[in-house]
Amino acid sequence: MTTLTEDRFRKLAEAYGSELERWPGAERRAARELILMRPELRAVLRAEAELDAWLDSARVEPLPASLLERLEAVPQNAPQPFPWRARSLLTPAVGWAFAAAFGLWLGARADALDVDLGNEDTVEGSAGADDAELIELASGDLAAFEELP
Amino acid sequence: MRTPQGDPAPDDAELVGRVKTGDRAAYRELLRRHGPGIHRYAERLVRDPAEAEDVVQETFLRLWLRAKDYDPVARVTTWLFRITHNLAVDRLRKRGRSAFTEDPDMEPGPISVNPPALLEGKQRAEALTAALDTLPPRQASALSLVHLHGMTGAEAAAVLEVSEEALESLLSRGRRALKAQLAGSFASDAGGTP
């Protein structure tokens, strides 16, 4: 059980006033018990009651009509909240990203195919013959040079 | 609290969750519940009606756009008041008013209440507002959050970003200063009833 000294009781009354409901929850019960044991402490609360009555007289007025109108228009005039805005931005972005990724995949795939084909050409195709002619040139066979197209 | 159809009214946190998905009805309900209090608090801080309205509009714009930032550990009220508080303090700084960095022991200005009147109703509320306006802003904010907006000490401390101990000190000093300001208007001083 939380115990409360008279000094702490007075400090709480000076800060939160005469209504125990406003006091910190952890010390409220202890305050009630202390009052039961020390009824003279009610005078401490009474001393704060008048200011509380003053503070209670402060009322929250309804919003001015023009301000209410402005505030009600906020959702119409502002962008959509993040998830909706993100969705509207992301939908085309995802489409483009997918198209780009597909393009890259196709490109990579085509490159891979070219490499395979090139290797086959080197072994069996006409490019192999061209290489042989160049080798002859490099070795100084001018007759072979004249025969080049 | 129940809806007209008899269903339990959604709590604030649930409404903020719906605002995240773009639910305008949830936004309007939060505006209905908290708009007047936020407006009152903004007025208390910036003390300029037009600027207070701008602060309120920015607060609700943030609610609409940044509902995802709400952490359900705190009450929605605390979150909204915290936004309002920060927006107002930013504006005061831009205006060159160091409203929230004043000397903590600064004494309030001269009394503006007409003693020894036993004021009633609107007059009484106006006298209180005038007296609150003379307090250092942090003391006035602390009193306003706890007494007018019904926050607990912990919630008010979270809005003002101070410890609960510091909040108690602000409240005590604020109450002492208010008593001094309103002394001539107290019923006990005039021999009547409040």
Side-chain angles (χ1 to χ4, degrees), chain A residues 8 11-18 22 24 47-48 50-55 57-64 67-68 70-72 74-76 78-84, chain B residues 19-22 24 27 31 35-37 39-40 53-54 56-57 61 64-65 68 121-122 124-125 127-128 146-148 153 167-168 171-172 175 178-179 182 185-188:
Chain A
R8 177 67 183 150
K11 278 195 163 63
L12 285 168
E14 284 168 12
Y16 293 98
S18 64
R22 293 193 204 278
E48 302 294 334
E50 190 156 23
L51 181 60
D52 287 341
W54 270 90
L55 287 164
S57 72
R59 282 185 289 267
V60 175
E61 303 289 339
L63 288 172
L67 177 60
L68 181 62
R70 269 169 71 187
L71 296 174
E72 283 181 337
V74 162
Q76 284 98 313
Q80 289 288 302
F82 180 75
W84 296 92
Chain B
V19 169
K20 280 184 207 170
T21 67
R24 292 181 183 190
Y27 167 86
L31 172 60
H39 181 229
R40 184 78 165 79
E53 291 195 359
D54 289 345
V56 179
Q57 183 165 0
L61 181 62
W64 178 247
L65 294 177
K68 67 180 172 55
K122 197 176 175 189
R124 190 179 168 102
L128 177 70
V146 170
H147 286 275
L148 183 58
L167 180 91
E168 278 179 22
L171 287 171
S172 300
R175 286 179 69 94
L178 263 191
K179 279 181 198 166
L182 297 167
S185 302
F186 269 24
S188 51

Side-chain angles (χ1 to χ4, degrees), chain B residues 9-191:
Chain B
D11 65 22
D12 286 349
E14 193 181 333
L15 289 170
V16 173
R18 282 164 48 186
V19 169
K20 280 184 207 170
T21 67
D23 185 333
R24 292 181 183 190
Y27 167 86
R28 279 195 300 273
E29 178 59 19
L30 286 168
L31 172 60
R32 189 189 67 76
R33 289 183 191 179
H34 302 296
I38 294 283
H39 181 229
R40 184 78 165 79
Y41 188 60
E43 275 187 325
R44 158 111 338 271
L45 293 174
V46 298
R47 299 178 189 182
D48 176 281
E51 205 156 13
E53 291 195 359
D54 289 345
V55 167
V56 179
Q57 183 165 0
E58 264 184 83
T59 301
F60 279 93
L61 181 62
R62 293 221 182 162
L63 163 66
W64 178 247
L65 294 177
R66 308 285 295 275
K68 67 180 172 55
D69 292 346
Y70 168 62
D71 179 355
V73 170
R75 276 173 68 199
V76 170
T77 322
T78 311
W79 179 59
L80 287 174
F81 274 73
R82 180 84 213 124
I83 293 173
T84 308
H85 184 88
N86 287 339
L87 289 170
V89 170
D90 281 350
R91 279 174 179 264
L92 291 173
R93 282 199 188 114
K94 280 179 194 157
R95 252 200 250 160
R97 278 176 53 183
S98 55
F100 283 81
T101 54
E102 83 279 3
D103 176 359
D105 294 322
M106 184 177 110
E107 289 303 318
I111 192 162
S112 55
V113 178
N114 296 323
L118 288 176
L119 304 173
E120 292 299 331
K122 197 176 175 189
Q123 274 184 313
R124 190 179 168 102
E126 282 170 0
L128 177 70
T129 301
L132 279 170
D133 282 350
T134 66
L135 298 188
R138 283 156 63 92
Q139 293 176 20
S141 291
L143 285 170
S144 177
L145 290 170
V146 170
H147 286 275
L148 183 58
H149 302 291
M151 287 191 183
T152 64
E155 288 166 348
V159 170
L160 295 173
E161 284 185 326
V162 296
S163 66
E164 284 187 57
E165 195 181 10
L167 180 91
E168 278 179 22
S169 170
L170 287 171
L171 287 171
S172 300
R173 283 184 282 133
R175 286 179 69 94
R176 261 199 307 277
L178 263 191
K179 279 181 198 166
Q181 294 282 19
L182 297 167
S185 302
F186 269 24
S188 51
D189 297 329

